[in-house]
Amino acid sequence: MSLKRSDRREFLKRGAALAGGLGLAAAKPALGQTPAAGGIITGSPELVAYGTRSRFVTSERIAHGGRASPDAFGLDFHIASPIQDSVGVITPSSLHYVGTTRGAFVPEIDPQEHRLMIHGMVDRPLIFTMEELKRLPSVTRLHFIECAGNRANRNHTTVQETHGMTSCAEWTGVLLSTLLNEAGVQEGGNWIVAEGVEEVKGASSIPMAKAMEDCMICYGMNGEAVRPQQGFPLRMLAPGFEGILSVKWLRRIKVVDQFYMTYNDYGHLRQDSDDAALSMQIGPKSVITYPSGGQQLPGTGFFEVSGLAWSGGGKVSRVEVSTDGGRNWIDAEIRGTAHPMAHTRFSFQWNWDGAACELQSRCTDELGSVQPTRAQIGEFWAARGQPPRIKGQDNSIQPWRIDRDGSVHNAIS
Ligand SMILES: Nc1nc2c(c(=O)[nH]1)N[C@H]1C(S)=C(S)[C@@H](COP(=O)(O)O)O[C@H]1N2
Ligand SMILES: [Mo]
């Protein structure tokens, strides 16, 4: 534990309660440590070839958005990640959320056959094989993806429902700027349209400035090939922009002169290109994952409150926690390194006295943007003559109420 000096003193001051709480568990015989108490996992070809997790670990993704998955037509739609069980900042590939705009479309693509074409307003249209892409200089970066549909409401019970449409992985690939510079972007080529293999193309318009800044063409995810549900063999990654721009099963990038309306852009129908570009970047956001809705505190005493913070605007620079419903805020600790446009783990050392209370977290990013409350977002729109509710992305503060029996509830009113 890397507590700063003053923090450590504070932590030691609370030592009595802490020792009392933890000592209880430590005094019990360590049954789980008896050799082979639950049997032995014997060798098998499957265990040799590709590992599986313990059968005692049962964390699972769920269908998201009140739509059955598979639905009446056998289609899988949005699938949410179980972030209530997450530790650290990397989402295991098997638990990464899945966003689809058409449902259940997971094409089986032979990487030998796959090609990426760069065309449109370029001097030299190019076609790359996977092998050719892998010969180019690569980057490996930690980035979150978040669906614009990752919105909380009062009917949600768990953090998986309120916030499970975001995940963070270590992505490997080629910078899009490397490919665009090779192709030579022509004067006036201010946007790109990235296109996947589906009949509706899963296409999205991305501003050239973003394309050149940090967009990645990824073939690697968490140390192996990108998973089929995440776009195997190749996907776009537009770090910090809403997930729909990170086109999966990527096969074409067209350099164009303006924002083009695509099937994917129906959400921006009433917007001009400037508005569309502005709405693309995800604001500072955070959520407490433990304790969170549906969980149960076993009793009073010491707890490490833990959660995730992220922003499309760069690194998370500060996370604060409130235990009194947003009246007072105390700095949480950022665990490990805060990477740009990546989930960042924060924690807060807390002694629960058994009284009903409300936990909240608030993220500030390196641009100085601060995560708003739901009320503040409502006021923002009301001041512009719009209904005072959350439109588009929802990066509002999530309140969790803890009742005296230790049960944790969504406190959105
Ligand atoms: N080709 C294609 N790309 C796509 C989509 C799609 O349906 N087709 N869905 C988008 C949406 S809505 C989101 S939120 C992200 C989700 O990425 P993930 O499934 O890897 O989490 O992919 C985007 N890329
Ligand atoms: Mo999405």
Side-chain angles (χ1 to χ4, degrees):
M1 191 174 300
S2 69
L3 295 177
K4 276 194 247 94
R5 240 198 135 119
S6 60
D7 293 346
R8 189 182 299 127
R9 209 174 300 129
E10 187 53 30
F11 187 78
L12 291 176
K13 257 195 275 166
R14 286 176 286 184
L18 174 64
L22 295 182
L24 202 64
K28 288 185 194 142
L31 277 182
Q33 291 172 22
T34 310
I40 288 173
I41 302 171
T42 49
S44 72
E46 296 81 61
L47 287 180
V48 172
Y50 201 85
T52 54
R53 64 182 178 178
S54 162
R55 67 185 171 89
F56 299 107
V57 179
T58 54
S59 196
E60 283 183 344
R61 300 187 296 194
I62 55 169
H64 186 263
R67 181 171 200 160
S69 188
D71 71 0
F73 303 98
L75 299 177
D76 282 308
F77 275 84
H78 288 346
I79 301 171
S81 185
I83 60 173
Q84 66 278 11
D85 303 321
S86 67
V87 293
V89 295
I90 291 187
T91 311
S93 299
S94 302
L95 296 176
H96 199 283
Y97 91 93
V98 184
T100 75
T101 52
R102 247 343 252 306
F105 190 87
V106 181
E108 185 161 74
I109 299 174
D110 178 349
Q112 298 274 5
E113 303 294 320
H114 194 68
R115 301 286 182 273
L116 174 66
M117 178 160 97
I118 312 234
H119 66 137
M121 297 172 70
V122 293
D123 293 334
R124 295 169 294 278
L126 298 171
I127 294 177
F128 295 93
T129 64
M130 291 299 297
E131 226 172 50
E132 285 163 350
L133 285 172
K134 288 180 179 174
R135 283 174 60 176
L136 297 174
S138 65
V139 293
T140 293
R141 293 178 182 172
L142 210 60
H143 284 308
F144 74 82
I145 308 179
E146 180 175 20
C147 181
N150 200 26
R151 312 174 57 154
N153 69 48
R154 61 202 295 184
N155 299 323
H156 289 146
T157 305
T158 67
V159 70
Q160 184 165 16
E161 293 170 292
T162 57
H163 289 75
M165 293 300 286
T166 181
S167 293
C168 183
E170 190 204 67
W171 298 98
T172 296
V174 181
L175 283 175
L176 177 52
S177 60
T178 304
L179 306 183
L180 289 174
N181 287 334
E182 204 58 35
V185 174
Q186 291 174 350
E187 185 76 30
N190 294 328
W191 287 78
I192 62 164
V193 175
E195 179 187 318
V197 304
E198 305 115 295
E199 74 278 27
V200 296
K201 298 176 176 176
S204 278
S205 298
I206 300 175
M208 182 58 75
K210 179 65 177 175
M212 282 298 195
E213 190 183 357
D214 57 6
C215 282
M216 290 171 67
I217 306 298
C218 301
Y219 47 76
M221 175 187 185
N222 290 338
E224 61 180 356
V226 170
R227 292 287 176 97
Q229 286 180 312
Q230 266 64 55
F232 180 85
L234 203 60
R235 83 172 302 162
M236 168 75 69
L237 190 73
F241 275 30
E242 58 185 56
I244 203 162
L245 301 175
S246 290
V247 176
K248 304 190 277 192
W249 315 295
L250 181 72
R251 69 167 175 188
R252 273 188 215 148
I253 293 169
K254 186 170 188 176
V255 176
V256 293
D257 57 346
Q258 60 175 76
F259 173 88
Y260 275 88
M261 190 67 65
T262 64
Y263 181 93
N264 270 1
D265 293 311
Y266 61 90
H268 304 299
L269 265 182
R270 284 183 304 277
Q271 299 179 337
D272 66 23
S273 56
D274 287 348
D275 277 354
L278 276 175
S279 75
M280 288 173 175
Q281 185 169 301
I282 291 182
K285 190 163 175 178
S286 69
V287 68
I288 292 170
T289 53
Y290 179 82
S292 60
Q295 293 176 338
Q296 172 74 43
L297 295 183
T300 58
F302 177 81
F303 292 94
E304 182 176 80
V305 174
S306 174
L308 291 169
W310 61 97
S311 173
K315 290 178 196 167
V316 168
S317 57
R318 183 184 195 190
V319 183
E320 298 154 285
V321 167
S322 171
T323 59
D324 59 6
R327 276 177 289 280
N328 296 288
W329 294 92
I330 307 163
D331 278 334
E333 288 173 58
I334 288 178
R335 293 281 171 212
T337 307
H339 292 272
M341 289 83 78
H343 283 179
T344 302
R345 176 67 59 179
F346 65 87
S347 61
F348 176 75
Q349 318 299 319
W350 183 51
N351 267 300
W352 183 47
D353 61 7
C357 60
E358 191 179 299
L359 298 185
Q360 301 183 1
S361 65
R362 180 167 75 183
C363 170
T364 303
D365 67 18
E366 63 175 313
L367 301 176
S369 301
V370 182
Q371 184 179 5
T373 61
R374 295 180 75 82
Q376 284 168 334
I377 293 177
E379 285 159 20
F380 175 90
W381 289 114
R384 285 156 185 79
Q386 307 257 353
R389 55 186 169 80
I390 292 175
K391 311 197 310 173
Q393 292 168 26
D394 172 9
N395 68 327
S396 62
I397 289 173
Q398 172 66 40
W400 299 120
R401 187 185 78 246
I402 303 195
D403 285 347
R404 289 178 57 185
D405 64 2
S407 57
V408 188
H409 307 271
N410 182 357
I412 294 176
S413 54

